[in-house]
Amino acid sequence: MTVAEMKPGGTKPASAKVVLGLAECEQFLIQEARLLDDGRFDEWLNLFTADAWYWVPSQPNQENPRDTISLMYDDRRLLETRVRRLASPRIYSQEPRSRTSRMIGNVTIEEAAPDGKACTVRSKFQLLEYRRETQRIFGGTCYHHLIQGEKGIQIAWKRVDLVNCDAPHEGLVVPF
Amino acid sequence: MNDRTNGKNGQANGHLVLEDRKAQTFSVNREVFVSPTVFEDESRAIFDKCWIYVGHASEIRNPGDFRTRNVAGRPIIFCRDRQCTPRALINSCRHRGAIVCREREGNARQFYCMYHGWTYHTDGKLKAIPGDDAYGEKFDKSTLGLVEVPRFEHYRDFYFLNFDRDAPDLATYLAGAKEYIDLVVDQSPSGRMEIISGVQEYDIKANWKLLVENSVDDYHLVTTHSTWLNYMRNSGVNISVPKGQLLPTKGIGKDLGNGHLTTDNPNYRGRPVAKWISIYGEDAKADIDAIRKELVERLGETRAARVADTNRNLVVFPNLVINDGSSVTVRNFYPLGPDHMRVTAWALGPVEETEAQRARRLHAFLTFYGPGGFATPDDVTALELAQQGFAAWREVQWSDLSRGMGKSANEPQLHTDEGHLRVFWRRWSELMEQHP
C-alpha cells in the first residue's frame, strides 16, 4: 500500500520554510507519546491542524473509512469531543484512569514534499495500558502526515494500524 | 430486596422471576446472572428452542460467498451455494469432525477438510473422499454431506436458524417484531438494506441478559451517557428535557409478543433517513431533504413520518438487537459463560446510499457505538460493574424492574419505564420453567 492509498483526504500545503528532517520528526513523535502518557490530552489535541483527521482502521489494509466501519475515525471536531470526554469526571470507562507507557521506534520518512515542509512519517509503536487490574498491550504501525506550520510541527493526519485491529476489543478510550 | 421471597431460604418456590401485581413489583433473582446451572439450562431451553439470527442476505451476495460464524455455540457456515440457494451448514467434517471452512469470509468453490481431504460442495453434499475404495459396498456417501441446521428461514433478508425441528415458522415467531423490521427495511427505495463492510466485535465481562436490558433501557441514558449528550449539546442539537421527563422526547416501551420488545421514540438525534441535525452540516440539508422526499413519494406522508421521525431499539428474543436511530445497528451476542459475552455489531444501510450518505451514517455509528465510540465503553463499564455486584447474589438476591408498574393498563409504558424489559424476563422465565 502506498502512502497515497492510505489517506482518504487531501494533504495540506505547508507554509513555513523549515525543513523537516528525520531527527525532528522522531523528536516530535516522542513528544507526542509523552503528552499522551502524561494525560495532557489538550496539549496533544493542539498538535493537530484545524482540519486534521485521526483514523484507526478495523481491518488490515483497510482502504477507506467512509464505506467500511473503523475503530475510530475522527475529524477535528470529533477529536475535540474525544478529548473533552477524557476530561470529564463522568467518563465512567476511565474510572479509574488508565496508565499508559508508549515506545516509538523504527521511524522512517516515507514521502516528503519537494520543499521539505511536509512529510509522511512511518513508525512502530508499542503501548502498555494498565487499568483495573488488567494490563493490555497494543502494537502496530503509525503514519503521521506532519507539516511545518506557524505553530511548529503539526499533524495533518494520523493513521494507526493495530496488529490486532480486527480482534474483539474492550473499550479503546485512551487514544493511540 | 430480600423480603421479596415467598419460599424458604430465599428460593421463592424456585421461581427466578417474581411478578407481584398487588405490590406492583417485578424482581429478577441475581442467581440468573451468575449460576453455571442456569447458563447450561439456557443453552437448551432458550438457544436450542428459539429462532436465532445467523446473518443478512447482503453478506452472501454471490454464489459461493460464505461467512463462518458461531451461532448459539455451533460453528456455522452461512453461505450461498453455487446454485444460489442460501444455506446454514454445520462446519464440521462428517469424517472426524474438523472445521472444513477455516476462513471468516470469502468465496468458495468447495469446502475442503485439511485433515484427510474430504471435500464438500457448497450446498453441503459430499463431493469426494481420498481413497474411497477402502470403504465397504454399503458405505453411502450421499448421506455424508455437511449437516444442514434443522430449520433455516428469513424475514426480509434477515436469516435465522432454529435447532428445534418442531418450532413454529419464523414469521409466526417474529410476531409484532415484523412491523418494526419493516420500518427498517422501508428506508431503502428498493426495500434492500445491506450490511456495511467491517464489523465491531467486543467482549463484556457480564451476563448476556444484561445487554438485552441495556440495549433498550432508556432510563440509563442521561446518567451513563452524559458525555455523549454533552457532545450532542455542543454540536447544536436540542437536548433540553421538558419538565416531568427524563429525556428530550417522550417515547414508549412496547410488547411485540413472544418475548420481543421495542422502544418507540420520537427522534431528536437526527436520522440518515431522513431527519437533518446540525451535526450533519449545512451542505447535507438538501441531500437529507431529497431522501425525505423520495420517502414521502413512495410511502405517503404518514408512513414516511413513521419511518423517518421515530427511533426504535428492537429486541428479537433472545439475542438480536436492531437499533434504528442515528444509524442502524444490527447487534448479536452470545454468552461465553455466565459472566462473559461476545458482542458482534454491524452497521446496516440502504443499498442505494451514495458515498457521502454512507460516510454520514458511519460517522454517527462510530460516534456512539463500538469500542472506540463515545457511549459503548461506558455501557460496558455499567454492565461489568453490575456483574461484579452480583458476586453477592446470595446476600442481595433480587434486582428490581418495577418502573411503570403503578400505571393502569391503558396508560402507556414509557421508554424510561421497565415494562418492555419485563416482557423479556417473562418470556425468559416461561421458557426456563417449561424446560424439563
Side-chain angles (χ1 to χ4, degrees), chain A residues 59 64-71 73 75 77-78 81-82 84-85 88 90 92-93 168-173, chain B residues 196-198 201-202 205 223 226-227 231 234-235 279 342 347 355 359 362-363 366 371-372 374 377-378 381:
Chain A
Q59 309 293 313
N64 196 324
R66 287 188 292 262
D67 63 8
T68 299
I69 294 173
S70 303
L71 288 168
Y73 178 55
D75 54 18
R77 199 153 60 94
L78 278 192
T81 303
R82 194 173 292 286
R84 196 178 302 126
R85 212 170 96 76
S88 168
R90 286 189 295 278
Y92 298 108
S93 48
H169 288 289
E170 310 213 343
L172 306 173
V173 184
Chain B
I196 297 168
S197 82
E201 276 192 306
Y202 48 100
K205 292 188 208 82
T223 38
S226 65
T227 60
Y231 157 66
N234 293 332
S235 307
I279 288 173
R342 166 73 46 87
E355 193 189 346
L362 288 188
H363 185 275
L366 282 192
F374 298 153
D378 296 325
T381 299

Side-chain angles (χ1 to χ4, degrees), chain B residues 34-83:
Chain B
V34 294
S35 158
T37 316
V38 170
F39 169 66
E40 282 300 321
D41 288 350
E42 278 175 342
S43 309
R44 305 286 86 80
I46 310 242
F47 289 98
D48 288 1
K49 290 283 175 193
C50 294
W51 283 95
I52 306 291
Y53 182 66
V54 181
H56 191 268
S58 62
E59 295 178 279
I60 47 165
R61 251 192 202 111
N62 303 308
D65 281 358
F66 67 84
R67 307 270 174 163
T68 54
R69 41 191 61 148
N70 182 313
V71 181
R74 280 80 154 184
I76 297 292
I77 307 171
F78 173 51
C79 67
R80 193 176 292 273
D81 70 27
R82 306 292 316 176
Q83 288 70 46

